[in-house]
Amino acid sequence: MEPPSWSARFSRLRQLFWLFFLLTIGYMIWVRSYLSPLSSDELVQFEIAKTVNKAQAIIGDWKSSGKYELGVKSTYLAYVFMVLYTLAIALGCRFISLCTGNEIMIKGGKGFSLLIVLATICDVAENIALFRTLHGPIRQWNVSIAYDLARVKFSIVIVCLLFILACLLYWGIGKLAGENK
């Protein structure tokens, strides 16, 4: 059996990227609705609470407003989101960099597609710390771990998304300039 051609691999990568991109967006919309009235801003504030006092205040507010159970559910739902965003961003780095036809961008796409996995590892550990904070005594260790790993995760995600944007700009400018790729 012959290996698939470059165009077949490119087509498959394009299909997978769009599939996971749309699944990720759809999941984000669904989760926002499902966890309402708990907002994504409130979840991010909990992730970056940094101190026991702030984490206690957030949990206390959630308990008094009936959002606590939604906060707990969000820690479970986060694992599905982690898989989706990791695949969407990794495939985006690979696919969009291939669209440029630039060898440096293509190599960068491979590197950034691996880098997003590090963000996901941080996200898993962060989520475990958040779960422990919600279900047990609130310890500075868990709050600090969640804070530090959230910062690393968000930084990597932003860098990967900026790489995709740079590839899109490079590709778009090349198209406007009349290049064949």
Side-chain angles (χ1 to χ4, degrees), residues 87-103:
L87 289 169
I89 294 174
L91 290 165
C93 288
R94 297 295 298 273
F95 169 64
I96 305 298
S97 68
L98 278 173
C99 290
T100 68
N102 180 295
E103 204 55 41

Side-chain angles (χ1 to χ4, degrees), residues 158-172:
I158 289 167
V159 166
C160 289
L161 292 175
L162 287 173
F163 173 77
I164 291 170
L165 179 62
C167 287
L168 282 170
L169 288 171
Y170 183 92
W171 175 77

Side-chain angles (χ1 to χ4, degrees), residues 27 29 33 38 42 56 64 75 83 101-102 104-105 107 111 125-126 142 144 171:
Y27 190 78
I29 293 167
S33 172
L38 185 63
E42 290 172 297
Q56 285 173 330
S64 67
T75 61
V83 170
N102 180 295
I104 293 171
M105 294 289 212
K107 287 180 182 179
E126 170 202 333
N142 287 325
S144 293
W171 175 77

Side-chain angles (χ1 to χ4, degrees), residues 23 32 48 54 77 87 96 104 142 145 154 156 159 168 180:
L23 283 173
R32 177 174 278 185
I48 59 171
K54 187 167 182 186
L77 295 171
L87 289 169
I96 305 298
I104 293 171
N142 287 325
I145 289 293
F154 288 130
I156 293 172
V159 166
L168 282 170
N180 292 334

